[in-house]
Amino acid sequence: MGFGLLFIGYLLSHGYTSGANYIVSLVGIIGAVILFFACKKLEVYSREFKYAGIVSVLFALSYLFNGILQLIETCRTDVSVPPVLLNLSRGAIIALVFGFNYFMYRGIADIARFAEVKGLAVSAVRNLVFMIIYYLDLIFAMILKPYYP
């Protein structure tokens, strides 16, 4: 059905987002490509996975951009990447992780409603709400970060 691929791709692409080197970006690209193929298989059951697949392609491209910036920063001593670009690429990855999770949870809830598995549908919606609260908290913390030592 595609949930196994979704699980593997999710672990590869989301499990290594905290690192800051080009190897982590390579693993993230591989995970995002696996996520895309999983979403292509799952879009038959819910159109939300079509949107999640689009986000996973953007996710792979942002990982590629971040990896190139990290590679330039690591290998070239005469060229310095502006910190603004690194922060923007990391911010884009965070925003795309949010977008993917949003569509994934909505897709899981759609499939669970169609299969009449009410508990799973409620759990998916609950996790969606908690994820939104988490990302609002993350944005709030990023805004207030310069004001704390």
Side-chain angles (χ1 to χ4, degrees), residues 57-71:
V57 170
L58 296 174
F59 194 43
L61 292 175
S62 67
Y63 260 128
L64 179 65
F65 181 68
N66 189 34
I68 290 170
L69 290 178
Q70 293 293 335
L71 193 59

Side-chain angles (χ1 to χ4, degrees), residues 13 21-33 55-73 85-86 89-90 92-93 96:
S13 64
N21 59 24
Y22 54 91
I23 299 298
V24 170
S25 294
L26 179 64
V27 172
I29 292 169
I30 293 168
V33 169
V55 172
S56 69
V57 170
L58 296 174
F59 194 43
L61 292 175
S62 67
Y63 260 128
L64 179 65
F65 181 68
N66 189 34
I68 290 170
L69 290 178
Q70 293 293 335
L71 193 59
I72 290 171
E73 188 74 24
L85 277 178
L86 289 171
S89 70
R90 290 179 188 141
I93 289 172
L96 290 169

Side-chain angles (χ1 to χ4, degrees), residues 46 49 103-115 117 120-125 128:
S46 174
F49 284 106
F103 291 120
M104 181 189 69
Y105 283 130
R106 285 183 50 136
I108 290 171
D110 282 350
I111 292 173
R113 277 189 220 104
F114 180 74
V117 183
L120 183 61
V122 169
S123 296
V125 171
L128 177 64

Side-chain angles (χ1 to χ4, degrees), residues 5-135:
L5 280 176
L6 187 72
F7 176 71
I8 293 169
Y10 196 89
L11 282 180
L12 287 176
S13 64
H14 292 67
Y16 297 99
T17 56
S18 62
N21 59 24
Y22 54 91
I23 299 298
V24 170
S25 294
L26 179 64
V27 172
I29 292 169
I30 293 168
V33 169
I34 293 172
L35 284 176
F36 173 73
F37 287 118
C39 290
K40 288 305 273 181
K41 287 180 111 176
L42 289 168
E43 74 182 18
V44 174
Y45 305 104
S46 174
R47 68 184 166 110
E48 299 295 331
F49 284 106
K50 177 181 179 183
Y51 305 128
I54 293 169
V55 172
S56 69
V57 170
L58 296 174
F59 194 43
L61 292 175
S62 67
Y63 260 128
L64 179 65
F65 181 68
N66 189 34
I68 290 170
L69 290 178
Q70 293 293 335
L71 193 59
I72 290 171
E73 188 74 24
T74 304
C75 296
R76 299 283 308 257
T77 57
D78 58 337
V79 177
S80 178
V81 176
V84 173
L85 277 178
L86 289 171
N87 289 336
L88 283 175
S89 70
R90 290 179 188 141
I93 289 172
I94 290 171
L96 290 169
V97 167
F98 170 77
F100 179 82
N101 287 334
Y102 177 78
F103 291 120
M104 181 189 69
Y105 283 130
R106 285 183 50 136
I108 290 171
D110 282 350
I111 292 173
R113 277 189 220 104
F114 180 74
E116 298 177 358
V117 183
K118 192 170 185 106
L120 183 61
V122 169
S123 296
V125 171
R126 181 198 63 220
N127 290 343
L128 177 64
V129 169
F130 284 144
M131 183 205 55
I132 291 171
I133 292 170
Y134 168 77
Y135 277 97

